[in-house]
Amino acid sequence: LFLDRSDTVDLPIKFSPRYVGCYHCQILLKSSCDVRVYEIECVVNTDNAEAELEFLTPAYQAVIQNIPISNLSSQDWKLEAILEGQGFYGPPLISVGLRETALYPLMFKPIAEC
């Protein structure tokens, strides 16, 4: 059985997530001669993924900023931190349980005035 473009049917779906996360869905379509299951996965991210931090500290003195990371998804997160720039330090890995907020301790320790 071959279907041409004129035999297609639109199936409008409205998805209104309340939280960030990964959502899974199955759609079951039945007819007298066919059964089809479509699996859909929607990943919802936050709109404001960028942030800016300003550190003020005397040269050679460290300052630590605890950055809150909230996991509003339905699964635990294991995150890897990749720090770029001279003088920044922090743990390479952090775990955030579902529906929890963890603090990432970002340290800035300048080795000269900058």
Side-chain angles (χ1 to χ4, degrees), residues 8-14 25-29 36 38 40:
T8 63
V9 176
D10 289 336
L11 180 64
I13 297 173
K14 182 176 181 179
C25 173
Q26 286 187 343
I27 299 173
L28 175 65
L29 300 177
R36 295 176 189 220
Y38 294 92
I40 298 175

Side-chain angles (χ1 to χ4, degrees), residues 73-109:
S73 74
S74 59
Q75 57 190 2
D76 291 342
W77 287 351
K78 298 206 180 305
L79 305 173
E80 177 184 5
I82 300 172
L83 301 178
E84 296 179 357
Q86 191 174 16
F88 289 94
Y89 306 93
L93 300 171
I94 186 170
S95 296
V96 186
L98 64 104
R99 309 273 184 234
E100 290 182 357
T101 297
L103 297 177
Y104 182 83
L106 179 62
M107 180 173 68
F108 178 61
K109 185 175 182 182

Side-chain angles (χ1 to χ4, degrees), residues 19-78:
Y19 306 105
V20 298
C22 187
Y23 295 85
H24 301 275
C25 173
Q26 286 187 343
I27 299 173
L28 175 65
L29 300 177
K30 290 186 194 179
S31 73
S32 59
C33 60
D34 194 13
V35 175
R36 295 176 189 220
V37 177
Y38 294 92
E39 292 190 16
I40 298 175
E41 178 181 282
C42 297
V43 177
V44 179
N45 296 316
T46 182
D47 288 338
N48 51 354
E50 292 186 25
E52 184 176 317
L53 298 174
E54 184 175 328
F55 291 91
L56 296 174
T57 185
Y60 305 107
Q61 289 189 10
V63 62
I64 296 176
Q65 174 69 54
N66 288 313
I67 301 171
I69 300 174
S70 297
N71 179 357
L72 301 177
S73 74
S74 59
Q75 57 190 2
D76 291 342
W77 287 351
K78 298 206 180 305

